[in-house]
Amino acid sequence: MHQEILIPFGVFAFVTAIVTIVTVTKHAGRNREYAHQERLRALELGQPLHGGTFWPSMAAISIGAVVPVASFVFAFLTNLLRPGSEEAWVFAGVVSTTAVGCGTFLAARLLHKPENSPTNWDTSADWQAGKPAVDPDAYDTVGQRG
């Protein structure tokens, strides 16, 4: 009885997962291409580059939140298929604790401001472009002496 329901559900879940992965991958590639074209156009026009991507924060959120939820979902499914299996809950707890710790560590590293950076490092367009703001008259160069 359970196999008659479980097999079509598994096939449906597998096909849905494959379609989702292909679609997300296709859109991510297209978004990377658009971002690349935007950066090239900004360089051509002499505009400052907008720095910072959101993927490190998404990685920290995924590790800290999605992994624990998924581990407990799989522990629940394991408990449904094999009642009385306490090991699944123990492993889910260990994986969740580790994932929350690692996600917290990554998030703390993302929020930590480097010591040698300027005060307005997150808003300065010059700093994001990789060029610190420098007064050109502050340095005496050979070309200016005549």
Side-chain angles (χ1 to χ4, degrees):
M1 173 79 177
H2 292 293
Q3 290 180 350
E4 296 169 357
I5 296 172
L6 197 58
I7 290 174
F9 178 72
V11 170
F12 177 74
F14 180 74
V15 170
T16 303
I18 293 297
V19 169
T20 303
I21 289 170
V22 168
T23 305
V24 167
T25 303
K26 184 177 178 181
H27 284 288
R30 188 176 299 147
N31 287 341
R32 278 194 308 272
E33 181 63 30
Y34 289 155
H36 177 67
Q37 290 174 358
E38 183 179 356
R39 282 191 305 272
L40 287 179
R41 186 70 178 147
L43 284 173
E44 289 174 2
L45 296 175
Q47 298 292 323
L49 296 176
H50 299 291
T53 58
F54 68 93
W55 72 264
S57 58
M58 292 304 291
I61 291 170
S62 297
I63 291 172
V66 176
V67 171
V69 169
S71 66
F72 279 106
V73 166
F74 283 117
F76 177 73
L77 293 175
T78 303
N79 200 18
L80 285 178
L81 295 175
R82 291 182 57 195
S85 58
E86 302 296 325
E87 296 87 11
W89 294 107
V90 172
F91 289 127
V94 169
V95 168
S96 297
T97 303
T98 305
V100 168
C102 291
T104 304
F105 175 74
L106 286 175
R109 296 240 339 158
L110 288 173
L111 296 175
H112 177 69
K113 184 175 134 189
E115 304 247 347
N116 57 356
S117 67
T119 312
N120 57 351
W121 71 286
D122 54 345
T123 58
S124 171
D126 293 332
W127 181 256
Q128 291 176 354
K131 297 179 180 178
V134 176
D135 182 21
D137 296 329
Y139 298 102
D140 183 30
T141 59
V142 176
Q144 291 178 345
R145 291 186 216 163

